[in-house]
Amino acid sequence: MKATAIAPANIALIKYWGRKDAKLRLPANPSISMNLSACITTTTVEFSSDFENDVVTEGFDNRRILDHIDRIRNMAGKKESVHIVTNNSFPTSAGIASSASGFAALTVAAATALNLQLSEKELSALARLGSGSASRSIPDGFVKWEGEYAHSLYPPDWWDLLDIIVILATKAKKISSSVGHDRAGSSPFFLKRLEALPERIARLETALKTKNFPMLGQVIEEDCLDMHHVMQTQNPPLYYWNEETKEVIKTIRGLPACFTIDAGSNVHVICEAKNEENVIRKLRKYQLIVNKPALGAHII
Ligand code: DP6
């Protein structure tokens, strides 16, 4: 009753912000993301009647992890204790969300160790209950999450896009995105963003389908700024940007690249692989993590 899974983090091109149902983590809106090849979580899960109690690698949010394990154990009708060992390929202190890759890897490893035969849809929906964005780390490549689960729009080799993460944050963020989602509706701009999204999502889908980089850049910057506008005007307000964030945005102006930012100060600079050198030259004073589109979660 042991299995090891790997799962990528993902960067949202259209963001998930706010929920219809907090407990079930049902999103207020559909979101679209790309899996990240260099931000991987590896998780080994073992259940055994020889274990006296549940043990999780230190340094992680153990309560939330064990609540998720309880959910999966209940599904399988099992009672054995669990030992979990998990590692990230990226520094957890770097301000890159590890909940997406973490809950996706945990879901696939635990479901396999308990011999639950779940489809990709079922794994995505189950990962969602641990962390909303984890639902998008189950399918491959470019992924859309609507309602209960996510599905792949295109495989990783569809388009040679890169996500060059400029690492600015070194401390864990003060307010978790889980808490932020619950207050999103208090922004006077929350409903305005939801109204704008169907047309924006259609534009992103066209940009992905036709591999139109300028169109992609315009849509993802627009949605990033719109989400941060909501965040900054909710009660209490959430400011994730700092002076360096703005400096990086200014640095990439004029380059064949665009930016997006999640619930942290790091900037994700997106470009086509053919422009990698050109973009990296401008960013060489920063710590960078260069990601290609990646497969979703799987057993190794
Ligand atoms: C800003 O998936 O971390 O990164 O469901 O509470 O775990 P929980 O939230 P989480 O939220 C991610 C928010 C975001 C945008 C995105 O990834 O879509």
Side-chain angles (χ1 to χ4, degrees):
M1 300 225 296
K2 181 175 177 178
T4 300
I6 63 170
N10 64 74
I11 181 64
L13 307 176
I14 294 282
K15 308 295 186 186
Y16 146 52
W17 193 247
R19 305 190 263 235
K20 279 191 187 135
D21 185 315
K23 199 155 174 272
L24 292 178
R25 288 193 150 81
L26 288 171
N29 63 276
S31 54
I32 296 180
S33 61
M34 177 180 116
N35 286 336
L36 303 179
S37 64
C39 297
I40 301 286
T41 299
T42 306
T43 299
T44 300
V45 173
E46 183 171 11
F47 294 91
S48 169
S49 42
D50 296 341
F51 297 156
E52 278 181 20
N53 35 38
D54 294 336
V55 179
V56 186
T57 326
E58 274 174 46
F60 290 83
D61 184 351
N62 294 0
R63 191 58 262 155
R64 207 165 149 191
I65 290 173
L66 289 175
D67 283 349
H68 197 55
I69 286 289
D70 282 342
R71 211 172 264 141
I72 302 174
R73 235 181 333 219
N74 287 340
M75 280 175 79
K78 292 281 192 319
K79 298 228 175 313
E80 284 83 352
S81 290
V82 71
H83 283 186
I84 300 171
V85 179
T86 191
N87 277 298
N88 287 330
S89 70
F90 49 99
T92 9
S93 59
I96 302 166
S98 55
S99 69
S101 53
F103 279 98
L106 182 69
T107 302
V108 170
T112 306
L114 291 175
N115 209 16
L116 286 167
Q117 315 266 328
L118 302 181
S119 65
E120 181 185 280
K121 266 186 200 174
E122 290 167 325
L123 287 168
S124 173
L126 185 55
R128 186 200 83 231
L129 297 171
S131 172
S133 53
S135 67
R136 297 189 308 237
S137 289
I138 300 283
D140 292 340
F142 298 87
V143 174
K144 183 173 187 183
W145 168 27
E146 273 175 292
E148 292 183 11
Y149 59 89
H151 67 276
S152 180
L153 293 172
Y154 298 105
D157 62 0
W158 172 251
W159 193 359
D160 292 339
L161 287 182
L162 298 179
D163 174 6
I164 303 171
I165 309 178
V166 183
I167 306 292
L168 302 175
T170 45
K171 292 195 198 91
K173 57 193 174 202
K174 286 193 208 91
I175 300 172
S176 74
S177 36
S178 293
V179 175
H181 283 291
D182 293 337
R183 303 294 302 148
S186 65
S187 162
F189 300 101
F190 177 66
L191 288 178
K192 287 203 173 71
R193 174 168 179 265
L194 291 189
E195 281 163 22
L197 274 173
E199 184 274 337
R200 195 176 290 160
I201 289 170
R203 252 190 298 145
L204 178 63
E205 289 186 344
T206 303
L208 286 172
K209 189 174 175 183
T210 57
K211 302 179 193 175
N212 180 333
F213 188 79
M215 190 178 189
L216 175 108
Q218 205 186 12
V219 180
I220 73 175
E221 289 187 2
E222 186 180 306
D223 192 54
C224 165
L225 293 170
D226 200 2
M227 177 187 74
H228 282 274
H229 189 206
V230 172
M231 289 170 153
Q232 291 171 7
T233 51
Q234 57 186 74
N235 184 11
L238 299 176
Y239 292 99
Y240 290 113
W241 300 36
N242 59 32
E243 286 312 308
E244 275 191 303
T245 314
K246 291 181 215 163
E247 191 185 294
V248 173
I249 293 173
K250 279 190 209 148
T251 306
I252 64 157
R253 279 286 161 252
L255 291 174
C258 59
F259 69 85
T260 185
I261 299 160
D262 278 343
S265 60
N266 293 330
V267 184
H268 294 249
V269 176
I270 314 285
C271 68
E272 291 181 286
K274 62 182 183 199
N275 295 316
E276 177 177 1
E277 265 180 49
N278 203 353
V279 174
I280 285 186
R281 200 175 311 126
K282 281 273 192 169
L283 296 170
R284 60 175 174 251
K285 71 167 184 173
Y286 298 103
Q287 185 193 344
L288 305 175
I289 301 180
V290 180
N291 296 275
K292 297 176 179 157
L295 289 174
H298 55 275
I299 290 293
I300 54 166

Short mmCIF file of all heavy atoms in Angstrom, two decimals, residues 95-121:
data_model
loop_
_atom_site.label_atom_id
_atom_site.label_comp_id
_atom_site.label_asym_id
_atom_site.label_seq_id
_atom_site.Cartn_x
_atom_site.Cartn_y
_atom_site.Cartn_z
N GLY A 95 8.01 31.56 -2.38
CA GLY A 95 6.75 32.23 -2.69
C GLY A 95 6.08 31.67 -3.93
O GLY A 95 5.24 32.31 -4.54
N ILE A 96 6.45 30.46 -4.31
CA ILE A 96 5.73 29.80 -5.41
C ILE A 96 4.72 28.88 -4.75
O ILE A 96 5.09 28.09 -3.88
CB ILE A 96 6.69 28.96 -6.29
CG1 ILE A 96 7.77 29.86 -6.85
CG2 ILE A 96 5.93 28.24 -7.40
CD1 ILE A 96 8.92 29.10 -7.44
N ALA A 97 3.47 29.00 -5.16
CA ALA A 97 2.42 28.20 -4.51
C ALA A 97 2.75 26.73 -4.64
O ALA A 97 2.95 26.22 -5.74
CB ALA A 97 1.09 28.50 -5.16
N SER A 98 2.87 26.05 -3.51
CA SER A 98 3.14 24.62 -3.56
C SER A 98 1.87 23.82 -3.33
O SER A 98 1.88 22.61 -3.38
CB SER A 98 4.20 24.23 -2.54
OG SER A 98 3.79 24.68 -1.27
N SER A 99 0.74 24.53 -3.07
CA SER A 99 -0.48 23.76 -2.77
C SER A 99 -1.00 23.05 -4.01
O SER A 99 -1.53 21.95 -3.91
CB SER A 99 -1.55 24.65 -2.14
OG SER A 99 -2.06 25.57 -3.06
N ALA A 100 -0.82 23.60 -5.20
CA ALA A 100 -1.34 22.96 -6.42
C ALA A 100 -0.58 21.66 -6.69
O ALA A 100 -1.18 20.58 -6.79
CB ALA A 100 -1.23 23.90 -7.61
N SER A 101 0.76 21.76 -6.76
CA SER A 101 1.54 20.54 -7.02
C SER A 101 1.43 19.58 -5.84
O SER A 101 1.34 18.36 -6.02
CB SER A 101 3.00 20.89 -7.28
OG SER A 101 3.51 21.69 -6.22
N GLY A 102 1.41 20.13 -4.62
CA GLY A 102 1.37 19.29 -3.42
C GLY A 102 0.10 18.46 -3.32
O GLY A 102 0.16 17.24 -3.14
N PHE A 103 -1.06 19.10 -3.49
CA PHE A 103 -2.31 18.33 -3.36
C PHE A 103 -2.56 17.43 -4.57
O PHE A 103 -3.21 16.39 -4.44
CB PHE A 103 -3.49 19.26 -3.08
CG PHE A 103 -3.56 19.65 -1.63
CD1 PHE A 103 -3.05 20.86 -1.19
CD2 PHE A 103 -4.09 18.77 -0.70
CE1 PHE A 103 -3.08 21.19 0.16
CE2 PHE A 103 -4.13 19.09 0.66
CZ PHE A 103 -3.62 20.32 1.09
N ALA A 104 -2.03 17.81 -5.74
CA ALA A 104 -2.20 16.92 -6.90
C ALA A 104 -1.37 15.65 -6.71
O ALA A 104 -1.86 14.53 -6.92
CB ALA A 104 -1.78 17.66 -8.17
N ALA A 105 -0.10 15.82 -6.27
CA ALA A 105 0.75 14.63 -6.06
C ALA A 105 0.20 13.76 -4.93
O ALA A 105 0.15 12.53 -5.04
CB ALA A 105 2.19 15.07 -5.74
N LEU A 106 -0.26 14.42 -3.85
CA LEU A 106 -0.81 13.67 -2.71
C LEU A 106 -2.04 12.87 -3.13
O LEU A 106 -2.20 11.70 -2.75
CB LEU A 106 -1.20 14.67 -1.61
CG LEU A 106 -1.74 14.08 -0.32
CD1 LEU A 106 -0.64 13.33 0.44
CD2 LEU A 106 -2.34 15.16 0.59
N THR A 107 -2.91 13.47 -3.92
CA THR A 107 -4.15 12.80 -4.35
C THR A 107 -3.84 11.56 -5.18
O THR A 107 -4.40 10.48 -4.94
CB THR A 107 -5.01 13.79 -5.18
OG1 THR A 107 -5.29 14.93 -4.37
CG2 THR A 107 -6.31 13.15 -5.65
N VAL A 108 -2.94 11.72 -6.16
CA VAL A 108 -2.64 10.60 -7.06
C VAL A 108 -1.91 9.48 -6.29
O VAL A 108 -2.23 8.30 -6.44
CB VAL A 108 -1.83 11.09 -8.28
CG1 VAL A 108 -1.31 9.92 -9.10
CG2 VAL A 108 -2.69 12.01 -9.14
N ALA A 109 -0.95 9.86 -5.43
CA ALA A 109 -0.21 8.84 -4.67
C ALA A 109 -1.13 8.10 -3.71
O ALA A 109 -1.12 6.86 -3.64
CB ALA A 109 0.96 9.48 -3.92
N ALA A 110 -1.97 8.85 -2.97
CA ALA A 110 -2.83 8.21 -1.96
C ALA A 110 -3.90 7.34 -2.63
O ALA A 110 -4.16 6.21 -2.18
CB ALA A 110 -3.48 9.27 -1.07
N ALA A 111 -4.50 7.84 -3.71
CA ALA A 111 -5.55 7.05 -4.39
C ALA A 111 -4.95 5.76 -4.95
O ALA A 111 -5.58 4.69 -4.89
CB ALA A 111 -6.18 7.88 -5.50
N THR A 112 -3.72 5.84 -5.46
CA THR A 112 -3.08 4.64 -6.02
C THR A 112 -2.69 3.67 -4.90
O THR A 112 -2.92 2.46 -5.01
CB THR A 112 -1.82 5.05 -6.83
OG1 THR A 112 -2.22 6.03 -7.79
CG2 THR A 112 -1.20 3.86 -7.53
N ALA A 113 -2.12 4.22 -3.81
CA ALA A 113 -1.72 3.34 -2.70
C ALA A 113 -2.92 2.59 -2.13
O ALA A 113 -2.80 1.45 -1.68
CB ALA A 113 -1.04 4.17 -1.61
N LEU A 114 -4.09 3.22 -2.15
CA LEU A 114 -5.30 2.58 -1.60
C LEU A 114 -6.09 1.83 -2.67
O LEU A 114 -7.21 1.38 -2.43
CB LEU A 114 -6.19 3.63 -0.92
CG LEU A 114 -5.60 4.22 0.36
CD1 LEU A 114 -6.46 5.34 0.90
CD2 LEU A 114 -5.42 3.13 1.43
N ASN A 115 -5.49 1.75 -3.87
CA ASN A 115 -6.08 0.96 -4.95
C ASN A 115 -7.45 1.47 -5.41
O ASN A 115 -8.28 0.68 -5.86
CB ASN A 115 -6.14 -0.51 -4.52
CG ASN A 115 -6.06 -1.43 -5.71
OD1 ASN A 115 -5.66 -0.98 -6.79
ND2 ASN A 115 -6.46 -2.68 -5.53
N LEU A 116 -7.67 2.77 -5.28
CA LEU A 116 -8.92 3.35 -5.81
C LEU A 116 -8.70 3.53 -7.31
O LEU A 116 -7.71 4.13 -7.70
CB LEU A 116 -9.16 4.72 -5.18
CG LEU A 116 -9.64 4.76 -3.74
CD1 LEU A 116 -9.52 6.18 -3.19
CD2 LEU A 116 -11.08 4.29 -3.66
N GLN A 117 -9.58 3.05 -8.10
CA GLN A 117 -9.38 3.20 -9.55
C GLN A 117 -10.16 4.43 -10.00
O GLN A 117 -11.34 4.33 -10.30
CB GLN A 117 -9.90 1.96 -10.28
CG GLN A 117 -9.50 0.64 -9.65
CD GLN A 117 -8.24 0.08 -10.27
OE1 GLN A 117 -8.01 0.29 -11.45
NE2 GLN A 117 -7.43 -0.60 -9.48
N LEU A 118 -9.48 5.57 -10.02
CA LEU A 118 -10.19 6.81 -10.35
C LEU A 118 -9.78 7.33 -11.73
O LEU A 118 -8.63 7.20 -12.14
CB LEU A 118 -9.89 7.89 -9.30
CG LEU A 118 -10.24 7.53 -7.85
CD1 LEU A 118 -9.89 8.70 -6.93
CD2 LEU A 118 -11.72 7.19 -7.71
N SER A 119 -10.75 7.91 -12.43
CA SER A 119 -10.47 8.51 -13.73
C SER A 119 -9.75 9.85 -13.53
O SER A 119 -9.72 10.37 -12.40
CB SER A 119 -11.79 8.75 -14.48
OG SER A 119 -12.54 9.73 -13.77
N GLU A 120 -9.25 10.45 -14.61
CA GLU A 120 -8.60 11.75 -14.50
C GLU A 120 -9.58 12.79 -13.93
O GLU A 120 -9.20 13.60 -13.07
CB GLU A 120 -8.08 12.20 -15.87
CG GLU A 120 -7.39 13.55 -15.81
CD GLU A 120 -6.97 14.07 -17.17
OE1 GLU A 120 -5.93 13.63 -17.68
OE2 GLU A 120 -7.69 14.93 -17.72
N LYS A 121 -10.82 12.75 -14.42
CA LYS A 121 -11.85 13.68 -13.92
C LYS A 121 -12.03 13.54 -12.42
O LYS A 121 -12.11 14.51 -11.68
CB LYS A 121 -13.21 13.31 -14.53
CG LYS A 121 -13.58 14.05 -15.76
CD LYS A 121 -15.02 13.67 -16.12
CE LYS A 121 -15.27 13.98 -17.57
NZ LYS A 121 -16.58 13.53 -18.04
#
